[in-house]
Amino acid sequence: MTGLVQGDEIRVGLIGFGYSTRTFHRPLLMATAGYRIAAVASSRPREVEAELPGVAIFADPVALTRHPELDLVVIATPNATHASLAEAGVRAGRHVVVDKPFTLTADEARHLTALARDRGTLLSVFQNRRWDSDFLTVQDALRRGLLGQVALCESRFDRFRPQIRDRWREGAGPGAGLLYDLGPHLIDQALVLFGPPESVQATLARQRPEAVSVDFAHLVLRNGERIVTLQAGSLVPGGSPRFSLHGDRASLIKRHPDVQEAQLRQGKRPGSAGWGVDPDDAVLYDGASGEPRTVKSIPGEQRRYYEAVREALHGRAANPVTPEQATTVMRVLEAALRSGAEHRRVVLEYADDERAAWP
């Protein structure tokens, strides 16, 4: 496999310097060997200089994509800008990581996928939640066959945020709302575990009194007779497990979510002592006896996403989250939007390369 970058160092340009960059991308990249953040495009140059002294700072994100001394561009901007900035990066000959959601529509995603394939550019989507402790624990239990044949999987990212904050994610613009914010993670994890669904039925709501975008989403995915439900809510003080899975041999309950985001917000450095260690073990309930037993949680490690991207750029491994996979996520999300608007179950169709993207 031929490497896509020359030399050992991957020079990175960050587009956007908001919550996603400062909480996830910057610390994860800085804690992963082989990367150097060389440039940032942001409307807040003083904050960039304070946190990353000496980097090149651009006011124009498209100008950053053309900077000749960059190998990889990471896009963490408002969702409606992802497609155009990713296209600018690919056309400039840069390798590109896009924060989720990949795009706003499946058509945009298909266009970018074809463009990157034609240009020979690595294009990947930042699905860091594949390396969360809760998901890794569930995935491992399924690989080991602890539950038997799974009939029902329930996956939730519930929050208690009764006050609407003044930010684009909760506004009325394109790509705003909880389905675009947390839906890509929930859908991607479901596809990793069970493959692309045959259909989706969605209930979408604005439950907070002054909400102008979706702040509750409940999706029911069908894979044959297996049911996968995904939920994200803003008025859930507690009580709902992160994962509940039920099979013909046992049930698995993982109550609390991964700790890495909380650790990053507290300033903890990825890879430091206690990093990603989850104190909340899963519980397996035997179907025959009902007896519970502890299933030790696997530590989370979101750096593995950027480690995998590094290996792909050096020609030693595959792209960890391909644009074909990300396009499939957008197909499901787009179908959920249609289902919620039309109050019906929507049957999904996929291109051959999208189906083939999932093991």
Side-chain angles (χ1 to χ4, degrees):
M1 188 181 294
T2 304
L4 299 175
V5 297
Q6 302 299 315
D8 294 331
E9 183 181 71
I10 298 168
R11 302 164 299 176
V12 181
L14 301 174
I15 299 182
F17 205 66
Y19 180 82
S20 292
T21 293
R22 297 168 83 175
T23 304
F24 294 105
H25 297 285
R26 179 181 61 83
L28 292 173
L29 282 162
M30 292 179 71
T32 305
Y35 290 100
R36 178 172 64 87
I37 298 173
V40 177
S42 174
S43 60
R44 296 179 284 190
R46 290 182 181 177
E47 294 178 15
V48 175
E49 178 62 29
E51 295 188 29
L52 294 170
V55 303
I57 301 174
F58 291 79
D60 179 4
V62 175
L64 179 142
T65 67
R66 297 170 182 157
H67 185 40
E69 297 181 7
L70 294 179
D71 302 300
L72 175 68
V73 171
V74 175
I75 297 167
T77 54
N79 296 341
T81 67
H82 286 187
S84 61
L85 290 174
E87 179 161 356
V90 172
R91 289 191 181 280
R94 305 292 167 253
H95 307 293
V96 177
V97 165
V98 188
D99 209 331
K100 58 77 196 166
F102 184 19
T103 54
L104 295 190
T105 69
D107 283 347
E108 288 176 336
R110 287 293 298 173
H111 170 70
L112 287 175
T113 300
L115 181 64
R117 187 182 298 135
D118 181 62
R119 298 296 178 98
T121 294
L122 182 137
L123 176 60
S124 187
V125 175
F126 184 63
Q127 285 290 0
N128 55 317
R129 300 295 183 179
R130 292 190 188 184
W131 292 274
D132 276 1
S133 59
D134 46 41
F135 179 72
L136 292 172
T137 302
V138 167
Q139 187 179 40
D140 183 66
L142 294 181
R143 284 174 177 163
R144 291 193 284 154
L146 298 183
L147 284 76
Q149 291 296 316
V150 174
L152 173 64
C153 171
E154 299 170 282
S155 172
R156 300 184 178 196
F157 275 133
D158 285 330
R159 297 168 167 174
F160 185 62
R161 293 182 179 174
Q163 303 301 319
I164 297 170
R165 291 182 284 182
D166 183 16
R167 58 180 193 156
W168 66 264
R169 294 180 190 277
E170 298 182 69
L178 207 57
L179 182 61
Y180 273 105
D181 187 16
L182 297 178
H185 286 315
L186 290 165
I187 294 167
D188 181 74
Q189 289 182 339
L191 268 60
V192 171
L193 294 178
F194 303 111
E198 298 164 1
S199 67
V200 59
Q201 178 120 26
T203 298
L204 308 176
R206 293 187 287 271
Q207 294 187 322
R208 293 175 294 178
E210 297 182 8
V212 294
S213 59
V214 168
D215 61 7
F216 173 86
H218 182 84
L219 280 57
V220 179
L221 312 184
R222 290 291 296 263
N223 294 78
E225 296 304 308
R226 179 188 294 123
I227 306 297
V228 178
T229 69
L230 310 176
Q231 181 172 304
S234 303
L235 294 175
V236 186
S240 57
R242 174 67 185 86
F243 279 102
S244 301
L245 296 96
H246 309 279
D248 60 9
R249 184 176 299 169
S251 292
L252 184 74
I253 308 298
K254 177 68 176 74
R255 184 156 296 279
H256 297 297
D258 179 87
V259 300
Q260 289 172 93
E261 182 173 359
Q263 290 180 327
L264 287 164
R265 284 166 34 195
Q266 293 162 6
K268 195 173 185 68
R269 181 177 172 80
S272 60
W275 174 257
V277 175
D278 189 343
D280 173 59
D281 293 327
V283 180
L284 187 76
Y285 294 90
D286 182 77
S289 67
E291 289 295 317
R293 72 177 175 92
T294 297
V295 176
K296 189 70 177 173
S297 288
I298 297 172
E301 184 51 278
Q302 293 183 11
R303 286 183 303 171
R304 286 168 54 190
Y305 172 78
Y306 274 118
E307 290 173 352
V309 169
R310 178 194 65 206
E311 295 304 291
L313 289 172
H314 287 308
R316 298 189 289 256
N319 184 346
V321 183
T322 68
E324 291 84 4
Q325 290 179 339
T327 300
T328 314
V329 170
M330 293 314 304
R331 287 209 185 278
V332 177
L333 192 151
E334 202 170 49
L337 287 170
R338 188 162 69 251
S339 171
E342 299 175 3
H343 306 288
R344 66 179 181 88
R345 183 170 69 95
V346 173
V347 176
L348 285 144
E349 296 183 0
Y350 306 99
D352 290 344
D353 61 345
E354 294 161 13
R355 284 196 178 278
W358 303 92

